[in-house]
DNA sequence: CTGTTAGCGCTTTCAA
DNA sequence: TTGAAAGCGCTAACAG
């Protein structure tokens, strides 16, 4: 069977002996058409297998029902959760999602934005590859000059004036420190000679997120007279460097009083290093940001500050829809607080 | 600052004192245009911030550079991996991904297909909500009558004639059984009175995937004279029913000789049930399909048959591109084998 | 090498 | 309630 030529509004019109415009109206503004004509048209349309051409429609209105989601890692479970939330709420408002995985590459991110502009995307949810001050991609101006709504999610471009939904990183750091002071460093007293040591396995040194989390820890520690010394290992949010650096640290300085991993992968890396050095997870206090899934099944307790990705994604989409509806709205930042789970 | 009207090819043309078509050519077929004109045009285009309108182009060619990915669960890590693969390879061929999360709902799946047809998607990678024989959505005919390329991934519609990339489920079952015979039931001898028991926590009873995995186990067991009795608990591929049913089983029949969980979540459910009954993971042999991530860090060994989702996704996209290039190609099925990891 | 014309499928005037 | 004409932005086909 040769594939039928695509059926258009005109084919439907011909079938019922009317003109294009009547068919168009019957399908989009049913109230403007006599009920009888309408049902004839609807019948013909479904019989012929008519599918509206989104391109023609988009060209006409010069607006589209597309929302872009740009992220560095679809396979990060936290992002997967956010994508799910965005996708679910987008389709309730009749938007479809164009997904771009930038794989941490600046040029792919730039391409993604370019493509979204060419599809006249109504909005973009952007989680850029980096929040460091020296990452200032050219597309920022393009976005400001166009009329796409933009909401940054989780990560934000340094100093770019877009709305955003971010985690309360300072607070997460404070939570972590408070928990450690309560549970681990409870007996610690000021002691300049042999202070208790907290090892922090962080993300990149220039990452705002890492710095905020660190700042949170430090302010809370500073509020007490417990003499906790903080050692920071900068990394890149992935497992391997965390594992290697924590391993090296343990070899050089011995076991710290506690380890704080700034995200899931970092913490797993730290745990791996501990295992390699024969340290059981319950001997040394480990605390994390992001949940380490399913460990409770095996009675391994790593307390963590958990952020609700689904909620964050949903808020981002809400913000985006508001901006699409009213582009003149001032930029907003929404902060999502995590919760300490023991 | 009022947002500038969108800049079109005509604006660029006016700027350099040429006509639309020359600009169009300079941008798309550089070789057809004098080098000097071309560079003038390119300069003007980037200065004005020209972005081609994908809708106009799509309308003209009546073909698009869009590929649809339709799945029931973006947040399943196995799917996330496949999405990553598809996305990465799609962009190498200049396709963008329209992502639809159907959340297991038939009407959302139907909507997704409808939307993809309206966007003239060049191809669709489809992982339907169900592979059971009584799920026969209407869109199957629409797809066959249109000229979209379709490749099913992981799950396939019962008896729909589309290409597909599927896991070798029979083989996975055989692997599992062979491993159990070697390691767990090695000493078991024929014994009608007290046969060794293998508990299988499966997906839905009508699911082809579950039935194939089960069949694999049974053929391998049948090839030996070891008297292993198989008990099957049907479920739905999620954690909770598996946990509850395995728990109930243990209470009624006591500990089986081994438990086989047919996917990650089922196995985790089984492990949870064991924990609730005070059975340590190393006392009872558990085996799974799909990896249980990071357990090795804690010295918990659950052998599993692992499938390479990245590879599967990549193959699906390759198949799709082939069909886009030549729609007359016969339908193909590619089978991806997993590997037993101890 | 560059320009004219026409049309992709749909919808927005304006008119009947 | 329905229709005619025009145009969204882009690119074939055919000139020049």
């Amino acid at each position: 069977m040769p594939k039928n030529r695509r059926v258009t509004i005109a084919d439907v019109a011909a079938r019922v002996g009317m003109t294009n415009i009547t068919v168009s109206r019957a399908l989009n503004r049913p109230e403007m058409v006599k009920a009888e004509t309408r049902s004839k048209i609807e019948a013909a349309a479904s019989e012929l297998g008519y599918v509206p051409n989104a391109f023609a429609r988009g060209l006409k209105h010069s607006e589209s029902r597309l929302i872009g989601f740009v992220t560095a890692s679809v396979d990060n479970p936290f992002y997967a959760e956010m994508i799910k939330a965005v996708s679910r709420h987008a389709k309730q408002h009749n938007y479809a999602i164009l997904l771009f995985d930038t794989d941490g590459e600046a040029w792919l991110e730039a391409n993604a934005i370019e493509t979204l502009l060419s599809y006249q995307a109504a909005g973009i949810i952007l989680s850029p590859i980096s929040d460091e001050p020296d990452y200032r991609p050219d597309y920022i101006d393009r976005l400001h000059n166009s009329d796409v709504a933009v909401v940054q999610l989780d990560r934000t471009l340094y100093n770019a004036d877009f709305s955003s939904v971010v985690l309360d990183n300072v607070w997460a750091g404070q939570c972590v420190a408070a928990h450690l002071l309560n549970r681990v460093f409870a007996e610690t007293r000021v002691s300049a000679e042999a202070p208790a040591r907290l090892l922090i396995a962080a993300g990149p040194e220039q990452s705002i997120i890492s710095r905020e989390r660190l700042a949170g820890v430090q302010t809370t520690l500073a509020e007490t007279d417990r003499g906790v010394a903080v050692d920071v290992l900068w990394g890149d949010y992935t497992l391997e460097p965390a594992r290697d650096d924590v391993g090296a640290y343990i070899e050089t300085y011995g076991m710290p009083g506690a380890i704080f991993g700034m995200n899931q992968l970092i913490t797993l890396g730290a745990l791996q290093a501990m295992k390699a050095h024969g340290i059981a997870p319950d001997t040394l206090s480990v605390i994390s940001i992001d949940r380490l899934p399913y460990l409770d099944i095996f009675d391994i307790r790593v307390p963590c500050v958990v952020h609700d990705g689904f909620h964050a994604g949903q808020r981002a989409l809400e913000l985006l829809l508001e901006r699409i509806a009213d582009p003149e709205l001032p930029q907003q930042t929404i902060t999502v607080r995590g919760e300490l789970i023991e």
Side-chain angles (χ1 to χ4, degrees), chain A residues 3 6 51-55 59 64 75 84 87-88 91 97-99 101 103 118 120 142 144 146 265 275 296-300:
Chain A
K3 302 295 182 179
R6 193 145 252 138
V51 181
N53 184 322
F55 286 159
L59 181 53
S64 79
D75 54 341
K84 194 173 185 83
S87 150
R88 180 175 302 178
K91 81 187 129 226
I97 301 286
L98 268 169
L99 178 74
D101 183 345
D103 239 339
S118 85
Q120 329 276 25
R142 310 283 289 279
H144 278 128
S146 80
L265 291 175
K275 184 192 166 203
D296 49 317
I297 298 180
F298 308 101
D299 269 331
I300 296 164

PDB file of all heavy atoms in Angstrom, chain A residues 3 6 51-55 59 64 75 84 87-88 91 97-99 101 103 118 120 142 144 146 265 275 296-300:
ATOM      1  N   LYS A   3       1.881   4.875   0.727  1.00  0.00           N
ATOM      2  CA  LYS A   3       1.454   5.760   1.800  1.00  0.00           C
ATOM      3  C   LYS A   3       0.613   6.898   1.217  1.00  0.00           C
ATOM      4  O   LYS A   3       1.022   7.574   0.276  1.00  0.00           O
ATOM      5  CB  LYS A   3       2.673   6.352   2.507  1.00  0.00           C
ATOM      6  CG  LYS A   3       3.596   5.311   3.077  1.00  0.00           C
ATOM      7  CD  LYS A   3       2.909   4.536   4.180  1.00  0.00           C
ATOM      8  CE  LYS A   3       3.902   3.535   4.758  1.00  0.00           C
ATOM      9  NZ  LYS A   3       3.308   2.764   5.861  1.00  0.00           N
ATOM     10  N   ARG A   6      -0.539  13.057   2.813  1.00  0.00           N
ATOM     11  CA  ARG A   6      -1.036  13.586   4.084  1.00  0.00           C
ATOM     12  C   ARG A   6      -2.382  14.277   3.882  1.00  0.00           C
ATOM     13  O   ARG A   6      -2.517  15.087   2.972  1.00  0.00           O
ATOM     14  CB  ARG A   6       0.012  14.589   4.568  1.00  0.00           C
ATOM     15  CG  ARG A   6      -0.133  15.008   5.961  1.00  0.00           C
ATOM     16  CD  ARG A   6       1.230  15.216   6.569  1.00  0.00           C
ATOM     17  NE  ARG A   6       1.549  14.175   7.520  1.00  0.00           N
ATOM     18  CZ  ARG A   6       2.724  13.593   7.618  1.00  0.00           C
ATOM     19  NH1 ARG A   6       3.687  13.911   6.799  1.00  0.00           N
ATOM     20  NH2 ARG A   6       2.928  12.684   8.533  1.00  0.00           N
ATOM     21  N   VAL A  51      -5.043  14.826  10.529  1.00  0.00           N
ATOM     22  CA  VAL A  51      -4.232  15.285  11.657  1.00  0.00           C
ATOM     23  C   VAL A  51      -3.794  16.716  11.362  1.00  0.00           C
ATOM     24  O   VAL A  51      -3.208  16.968  10.318  1.00  0.00           O
ATOM     25  CB  VAL A  51      -2.962  14.423  11.814  1.00  0.00           C
ATOM     26  CG1 VAL A  51      -2.159  14.902  13.006  1.00  0.00           C
ATOM     27  CG2 VAL A  51      -3.310  12.966  11.948  1.00  0.00           C
ATOM     28  N   PRO A  52      -4.094  17.645  12.255  1.00  0.00           N
ATOM     29  CA  PRO A  52      -3.701  19.035  11.993  1.00  0.00           C
ATOM     30  C   PRO A  52      -2.189  19.153  11.864  1.00  0.00           C
ATOM     31  O   PRO A  52      -1.449  18.429  12.511  1.00  0.00           O
ATOM     32  CB  PRO A  52      -4.205  19.783  13.228  1.00  0.00           C
ATOM     33  CG  PRO A  52      -4.422  18.745  14.275  1.00  0.00           C
ATOM     34  CD  PRO A  52      -4.751  17.480  13.555  1.00  0.00           C
ATOM     35  N   ASN A  53      -1.764  20.030  11.016  1.00  0.00           N
ATOM     36  CA  ASN A  53      -0.338  20.229  10.807  1.00  0.00           C
ATOM     37  C   ASN A  53       0.184  21.306  11.757  1.00  0.00           C
ATOM     38  O   ASN A  53      -0.090  22.491  11.592  1.00  0.00           O
ATOM     39  CB  ASN A  53      -0.101  20.625   9.355  1.00  0.00           C
ATOM     40  CG  ASN A  53       1.371  20.740   9.058  1.00  0.00           C
ATOM     41  OD1 ASN A  53       2.143  21.206   9.891  1.00  0.00           O
ATOM     42  ND2 ASN A  53       1.766  20.313   7.881  1.00  0.00           N
ATOM     43  N   ALA A  54       0.949  20.849  12.731  1.00  0.00           N
ATOM     44  CA  ALA A  54       1.421  21.765  13.767  1.00  0.00           C
ATOM     45  C   ALA A  54       2.317  22.854  13.178  1.00  0.00           C
ATOM     46  O   ALA A  54       2.389  23.963  13.707  1.00  0.00           O
ATOM     47  CB  ALA A  54       2.166  21.003  14.844  1.00  0.00           C
ATOM     48  N   PHE A  55       3.002  22.552  12.104  1.00  0.00           N
ATOM     49  CA  PHE A  55       3.891  23.546  11.510  1.00  0.00           C
ATOM     50  C   PHE A  55       3.104  24.673  10.878  1.00  0.00           C
ATOM     51  O   PHE A  55       3.423  25.847  11.045  1.00  0.00           O
ATOM     52  CB  PHE A  55       4.792  22.896  10.461  1.00  0.00           C
ATOM     53  CG  PHE A  55       5.857  22.068  11.074  1.00  0.00           C
ATOM     54  CD1 PHE A  55       6.488  21.082  10.350  1.00  0.00           C
ATOM     55  CD2 PHE A  55       6.232  22.263  12.391  1.00  0.00           C
ATOM     56  CE1 PHE A  55       7.483  20.310  10.914  1.00  0.00           C
ATOM     57  CE2 PHE A  55       7.219  21.497  12.974  1.00  0.00           C
ATOM     58  CZ  PHE A  55       7.845  20.519  12.224  1.00  0.00           C
ATOM     59  N   LEU A  59       3.286  28.365  12.165  1.00  0.00           N
ATOM     60  CA  LEU A  59       3.753  29.413  11.271  1.00  0.00           C
ATOM     61  C   LEU A  59       2.761  30.568  11.300  1.00  0.00           C
ATOM     62  O   LEU A  59       3.127  31.739  11.351  1.00  0.00           O
ATOM     63  CB  LEU A  59       3.869  28.857   9.850  1.00  0.00           C
ATOM     64  CG  LEU A  59       4.360  29.831   8.802  1.00  0.00           C
ATOM     65  CD1 LEU A  59       5.663  30.471   9.253  1.00  0.00           C
ATOM     66  CD2 LEU A  59       4.548  29.128   7.484  1.00  0.00           C
ATOM     67  N   SER A  64       4.337  28.687  19.595  1.00  0.00           N
ATOM     68  CA  SER A  64       4.221  27.241  19.552  1.00  0.00           C
ATOM     69  C   SER A  64       3.841  26.691  20.912  1.00  0.00           C
ATOM     70  O   SER A  64       3.908  27.378  21.922  1.00  0.00           O
ATOM     71  CB  SER A  64       5.512  26.611  19.073  1.00  0.00           C
ATOM     72  OG  SER A  64       6.429  26.568  20.122  1.00  0.00           O
ATOM     73  N   ASP A  75      20.212  11.330  32.923  1.00  0.00           N
ATOM     74  CA  ASP A  75      20.283  10.076  33.660  1.00  0.00           C
ATOM     75  C   ASP A  75      20.547  10.270  35.143  1.00  0.00           C
ATOM     76  O   ASP A  75      20.580   9.316  35.898  1.00  0.00           O
ATOM     77  CB  ASP A  75      21.318   9.142  33.030  1.00  0.00           C
ATOM     78  CG  ASP A  75      22.668   9.819  32.904  1.00  0.00           C
ATOM     79  OD1 ASP A  75      22.723  11.062  32.963  1.00  0.00           O
ATOM     80  OD2 ASP A  75      23.660   9.105  32.746  1.00  0.00           O
ATOM     81  N   LYS A  84      10.088  14.453  34.879  1.00  0.00           N
ATOM     82  CA  LYS A  84       8.773  13.836  34.994  1.00  0.00           C
ATOM     83  C   LYS A  84       7.733  14.874  35.420  1.00  0.00           C
ATOM     84  O   LYS A  84       6.651  14.957  34.842  1.00  0.00           O
ATOM     85  CB  LYS A  84       8.816  12.694  36.008  1.00  0.00           C
ATOM     86  CG  LYS A  84       7.589  11.808  35.920  1.00  0.00           C
ATOM     87  CD  LYS A  84       7.688  10.582  36.790  1.00  0.00           C
ATOM     88  CE  LYS A  84       6.489   9.683  36.571  1.00  0.00           C
ATOM     89  NZ  LYS A  84       6.642   8.810  35.416  1.00  0.00           N
ATOM     90  N   SER A  87       7.104  17.372  32.591  1.00  0.00           N
ATOM     91  CA  SER A  87       6.363  16.758  31.506  1.00  0.00           C
ATOM     92  C   SER A  87       4.903  16.566  31.890  1.00  0.00           C
ATOM     93  O   SER A  87       3.993  16.892  31.133  1.00  0.00           O
ATOM     94  CB  SER A  87       7.051  15.444  31.163  1.00  0.00           C
ATOM     95  OG  SER A  87       6.142  14.523  30.683  1.00  0.00           O
ATOM     96  N   ARG A  88       4.677  16.089  33.097  1.00  0.00           N
ATOM     97  CA  ARG A  88       3.296  15.846  33.496  1.00  0.00           C
ATOM     98  C   ARG A  88       2.485  17.130  33.498  1.00  0.00           C
ATOM     99  O   ARG A  88       1.371  17.170  32.996  1.00  0.00           O
ATOM    100  CB  ARG A  88       3.269  15.221  34.889  1.00  0.00           C
ATOM    101  CG  ARG A  88       1.851  14.961  35.351  1.00  0.00           C
ATOM    102  CD  ARG A  88       1.790  14.232  36.667  1.00  0.00           C
ATOM    103  NE  ARG A  88       2.488  12.958  36.631  1.00  0.00           N
ATOM    104  CZ  ARG A  88       2.593  12.164  37.693  1.00  0.00           C
ATOM    105  NH1 ARG A  88       2.059  12.532  38.839  1.00  0.00           N
ATOM    106  NH2 ARG A  88       3.236  11.029  37.605  1.00  0.00           N
ATOM    107  N   LYS A  91       1.869  18.806  29.887  1.00  0.00           N
ATOM    108  CA  LYS A  91       0.833  18.282  28.991  1.00  0.00           C
ATOM    109  C   LYS A  91      -0.561  18.655  29.467  1.00  0.00           C
ATOM    110  O   LYS A  91      -1.468  18.757  28.671  1.00  0.00           O
ATOM    111  CB  LYS A  91       1.010  16.780  28.767  1.00  0.00           C
ATOM    112  CG  LYS A  91       0.492  15.879  29.807  1.00  0.00           C
ATOM    113  CD  LYS A  91       0.933  14.443  29.469  1.00  0.00           C
ATOM    114  CE  LYS A  91       1.585  13.799  30.667  1.00  0.00           C
ATOM    115  NZ  LYS A  91       2.819  13.099  30.459  1.00  0.00           N
ATOM    116  N   ILE A  97       7.173  18.615  25.232  1.00  0.00           N
ATOM    117  CA  ILE A  97       8.521  18.888  25.729  1.00  0.00           C
ATOM    118  C   ILE A  97       9.581  18.514  24.705  1.00  0.00           C
ATOM    119  O   ILE A  97       9.633  17.387  24.222  1.00  0.00           O
ATOM    120  CB  ILE A  97       8.805  18.026  26.974  1.00  0.00           C
ATOM    121  CG1 ILE A  97       7.800  18.315  28.066  1.00  0.00           C
ATOM    122  CG2 ILE A  97      10.229  18.252  27.467  1.00  0.00           C
ATOM    123  CD1 ILE A  97       8.002  19.607  28.747  1.00  0.00           C
ATOM    124  N   LEU A  98      10.414  19.476  24.386  1.00  0.00           N
ATOM    125  CA  LEU A  98      11.603  19.171  23.595  1.00  0.00           C
ATOM    126  C   LEU A  98      12.759  18.983  24.577  1.00  0.00           C
ATOM    127  O   LEU A  98      13.098  19.904  25.317  1.00  0.00           O
ATOM    128  CB  LEU A  98      11.933  20.329  22.647  1.00  0.00           C
ATOM    129  CG  LEU A  98      11.324  20.252  21.264  1.00  0.00           C
ATOM    130  CD1 LEU A  98      11.513  21.576  20.531  1.00  0.00           C
ATOM    131  CD2 LEU A  98      11.985  19.133  20.466  1.00  0.00           C
ATOM    132  N   LEU A  99      13.335  17.818  24.573  1.00  0.00           N
ATOM    133  CA  LEU A  99      14.348  17.499  25.576  1.00  0.00           C
ATOM    134  C   LEU A  99      15.755  17.552  24.978  1.00  0.00           C
ATOM    135  O   LEU A  99      16.014  16.965  23.922  1.00  0.00           O
ATOM    136  CB  LEU A  99      14.113  16.092  26.112  1.00  0.00           C
ATOM    137  CG  LEU A  99      15.136  15.633  27.146  1.00  0.00           C
ATOM    138  CD1 LEU A  99      14.897  16.330  28.470  1.00  0.00           C
ATOM    139  CD2 LEU A  99      15.083  14.125  27.323  1.00  0.00           C
ATOM    140  N   ASP A 101      19.777  16.875  26.033  1.00  0.00           N
ATOM    141  CA  ASP A 101      20.794  16.455  26.985  1.00  0.00           C
ATOM    142  C   ASP A 101      22.125  17.012  26.508  1.00  0.00           C
ATOM    143  O   ASP A 101      22.641  16.630  25.470  1.00  0.00           O
ATOM    144  CB  ASP A 101      20.847  14.929  27.024  1.00  0.00           C
ATOM    145  CG  ASP A 101      21.838  14.443  28.065  1.00  0.00           C
ATOM    146  OD1 ASP A 101      22.654  15.253  28.523  1.00  0.00           O
ATOM    147  OD2 ASP A 101      21.789  13.257  28.404  1.00  0.00           O
ATOM    148  N   ASP A 103      24.989  16.908  27.996  1.00  0.00           N
ATOM    149  CA  ASP A 103      26.164  16.097  28.258  1.00  0.00           C
ATOM    150  C   ASP A 103      27.322  16.905  28.818  1.00  0.00           C
ATOM    151  O   ASP A 103      28.488  16.541  28.640  1.00  0.00           O
ATOM    152  CB  ASP A 103      26.629  15.513  26.924  1.00  0.00           C
ATOM    153  CG  ASP A 103      26.617  14.010  27.011  1.00  0.00           C
ATOM    154  OD1 ASP A 103      26.653  13.482  28.123  1.00  0.00           O
ATOM    155  OD2 ASP A 103      26.593  13.372  25.951  1.00  0.00           O
ATOM    156  N   SER A 118      14.588  28.349  17.152  1.00  0.00           N
ATOM    157  CA  SER A 118      14.074  28.149  15.799  1.00  0.00           C
ATOM    158  C   SER A 118      12.703  27.483  15.830  1.00  0.00           C
ATOM    159  O   SER A 118      11.901  27.676  14.929  1.00  0.00           O
ATOM    160  CB  SER A 118      15.076  27.362  14.950  1.00  0.00           C
ATOM    161  OG  SER A 118      14.907  25.990  15.152  1.00  0.00           O
ATOM    162  N   GLN A 120      10.557  28.340  17.931  1.00  0.00           N
ATOM    163  CA  GLN A 120       9.734  29.342  18.596  1.00  0.00           C
ATOM    164  C   GLN A 120       9.211  28.854  19.927  1.00  0.00           C
ATOM    165  O   GLN A 120       8.037  29.111  20.265  1.00  0.00           O
ATOM    166  CB  GLN A 120       8.528  29.702  17.725  1.00  0.00           C
ATOM    167  CG  GLN A 120       8.761  29.605  16.267  1.00  0.00           C
ATOM    168  CD  GLN A 120       9.400  30.855  15.688  1.00  0.00           C
ATOM    169  OE1 GLN A 120      10.068  31.602  16.404  1.00  0.00           O
ATOM    170  NE2 GLN A 120       9.204  31.088  14.435  1.00  0.00           N
ATOM    171  N   ARG A 142      20.901  36.489  23.361  1.00  0.00           N
ATOM    172  CA  ARG A 142      19.859  36.060  22.411  1.00  0.00           C
ATOM    173  C   ARG A 142      18.556  35.816  23.153  1.00  0.00           C
ATOM    174  O   ARG A 142      17.483  36.227  22.694  1.00  0.00           O
ATOM    175  CB  ARG A 142      20.250  34.742  21.720  1.00  0.00           C
ATOM    176  CG  ARG A 142      21.631  34.716  21.114  1.00  0.00           C
ATOM    177  CD  ARG A 142      21.655  35.470  19.823  1.00  0.00           C
ATOM    178  NE  ARG A 142      20.950  34.780  18.769  1.00  0.00           N
ATOM    179  CZ  ARG A 142      21.471  33.793  18.050  1.00  0.00           C
ATOM    180  NH1 ARG A 142      22.687  33.368  18.283  1.00  0.00           N
ATOM    181  NH2 ARG A 142      20.782  33.246  17.084  1.00  0.00           N
ATOM    182  N   HIS A 144      17.595  37.031  26.023  1.00  0.00           N
ATOM    183  CA  HIS A 144      17.007  38.269  26.523  1.00  0.00           C
ATOM    184  C   HIS A 144      16.338  39.065  25.406  1.00  0.00           C
ATOM    185  O   HIS A 144      15.327  39.713  25.630  1.00  0.00           O
ATOM    186  CB  HIS A 144      18.072  39.117  27.227  1.00  0.00           C
ATOM    187  CG  HIS A 144      18.317  38.682  28.638  1.00  0.00           C
ATOM    188  ND1 HIS A 144      19.568  38.408  29.131  1.00  0.00           N
ATOM    189  CD2 HIS A 144      17.472  38.452  29.663  1.00  0.00           C
ATOM    190  CE1 HIS A 144      19.468  38.033  30.399  1.00  0.00           C
ATOM    191  NE2 HIS A 144      18.200  38.051  30.742  1.00  0.00           N
ATOM    192  N   SER A 146      14.979  37.797  22.726  1.00  0.00           N
ATOM    193  CA  SER A 146      13.822  37.124  22.145  1.00  0.00           C
ATOM    194  C   SER A 146      12.695  37.166  23.153  1.00  0.00           C
ATOM    195  O   SER A 146      12.833  37.704  24.237  1.00  0.00           O
ATOM    196  CB  SER A 146      14.164  35.678  21.831  1.00  0.00           C
ATOM    197  OG  SER A 146      14.096  34.923  23.005  1.00  0.00           O
ATOM    198  N   LEU A 265      26.516  11.187  44.277  1.00  0.00           N
ATOM    199  CA  LEU A 265      27.662  10.492  43.707  1.00  0.00           C
ATOM    200  C   LEU A 265      28.909  10.698  44.543  1.00  0.00           C
ATOM    201  O   LEU A 265      29.715   9.784  44.746  1.00  0.00           O
ATOM    202  CB  LEU A 265      27.897  10.958  42.266  1.00  0.00           C
ATOM    203  CG  LEU A 265      26.816  10.504  41.289  1.00  0.00           C
ATOM    204  CD1 LEU A 265      27.048  11.115  39.915  1.00  0.00           C
ATOM    205  CD2 LEU A 265      26.791   8.982  41.205  1.00  0.00           C
ATOM    206  N   LYS A 275      35.350   1.870  52.160  1.00  0.00           N
ATOM    207  CA  LYS A 275      35.369   0.419  52.048  1.00  0.00           C
ATOM    208  C   LYS A 275      36.770  -0.057  51.670  1.00  0.00           C
ATOM    209  O   LYS A 275      37.294  -1.014  52.250  1.00  0.00           O
ATOM    210  CB  LYS A 275      34.360  -0.027  50.995  1.00  0.00           C
ATOM    211  CG  LYS A 275      34.271  -1.537  50.926  1.00  0.00           C
ATOM    212  CD  LYS A 275      33.515  -2.008  49.716  1.00  0.00           C
ATOM    213  CE  LYS A 275      33.781  -3.498  49.553  1.00  0.00           C
ATOM    214  NZ  LYS A 275      33.565  -3.928  48.173  1.00  0.00           N
ATOM    215  N   ASP A 296      18.238   1.812  53.121  1.00  0.00           N
ATOM    216  CA  ASP A 296      17.547   1.414  54.344  1.00  0.00           C
ATOM    217  C   ASP A 296      17.209  -0.072  54.320  1.00  0.00           C
ATOM    218  O   ASP A 296      17.129  -0.725  55.356  1.00  0.00           O
ATOM    219  CB  ASP A 296      16.284   2.247  54.526  1.00  0.00           C
ATOM    220  CG  ASP A 296      15.450   2.267  53.253  1.00  0.00           C
ATOM    221  OD1 ASP A 296      16.052   2.425  52.170  1.00  0.00           O
ATOM    222  OD2 ASP A 296      14.227   2.103  53.328  1.00  0.00           O
ATOM    223  N   ILE A 297      16.991  -0.604  53.124  1.00  0.00           N
ATOM    224  CA  ILE A 297      16.674  -2.034  53.019  1.00  0.00           C
ATOM    225  C   ILE A 297      17.804  -2.869  53.608  1.00  0.00           C
ATOM    226  O   ILE A 297      17.597  -3.970  54.088  1.00  0.00           O
ATOM    227  CB  ILE A 297      16.448  -2.430  51.544  1.00  0.00           C
ATOM    228  CG1 ILE A 297      15.261  -1.664  50.980  1.00  0.00           C
ATOM    229  CG2 ILE A 297      16.246  -3.930  51.397  1.00  0.00           C
ATOM    230  CD1 ILE A 297      14.951  -1.985  49.541  1.00  0.00           C
ATOM    231  N   PHE A 298      18.989  -2.331  53.561  1.00  0.00           N
ATOM    232  CA  PHE A 298      20.137  -3.104  54.027  1.00  0.00           C
ATOM    233  C   PHE A 298      20.661  -2.575  55.352  1.00  0.00           C
ATOM    234  O   PHE A 298      21.792  -2.827  55.728  1.00  0.00           O
ATOM    235  CB  PHE A 298      21.230  -3.103  52.966  1.00  0.00           C
ATOM    236  CG  PHE A 298      20.692  -3.517  51.648  1.00  0.00           C
ATOM    237  CD1 PHE A 298      20.399  -2.588  50.671  1.00  0.00           C
ATOM    238  CD2 PHE A 298      20.405  -4.854  51.396  1.00  0.00           C
ATOM    239  CE1 PHE A 298      19.851  -2.973  49.469  1.00  0.00           C
ATOM    240  CE2 PHE A 298      19.855  -5.241  50.186  1.00  0.00           C
ATOM    241  CZ  PHE A 298      19.575  -4.304  49.219  1.00  0.00           C
ATOM    242  N   ASP A 299      19.801  -1.785  56.002  1.00  0.00           N
ATOM    243  CA  ASP A 299      20.157  -1.266  57.317  1.00  0.00           C
ATOM    244  C   ASP A 299      21.394  -0.399  57.301  1.00  0.00           C
ATOM    245  O   ASP A 299      22.118  -0.328  58.292  1.00  0.00           O
ATOM    246  CB  ASP A 299      20.387  -2.416  58.303  1.00  0.00           C
ATOM    247  CG  ASP A 299      19.090  -2.751  59.005  1.00  0.00           C
ATOM    248  OD1 ASP A 299      18.266  -1.831  59.164  1.00  0.00           O
ATOM    249  OD2 ASP A 299      18.909  -3.920  59.369  1.00  0.00           O
ATOM    250  N   ILE A 300      21.637   0.243  56.184  1.00  0.00           N
ATOM    251  CA  ILE A 300      22.735   1.196  56.156  1.00  0.00           C
ATOM    252  C   ILE A 300      22.111   2.573  56.254  1.00  0.00           C
ATOM    253  O   ILE A 300      21.278   2.942  55.439  1.00  0.00           O
ATOM    254  CB  ILE A 300      23.534   1.066  54.853  1.00  0.00           C
ATOM    255  CG1 ILE A 300      24.180  -0.303  54.807  1.00  0.00           C
ATOM    256  CG2 ILE A 300      24.571   2.164  54.745  1.00  0.00           C
ATOM    257  CD1 ILE A 300      24.658  -0.683  53.441  1.00  0.00           C
TER     258      ILE A 300
END
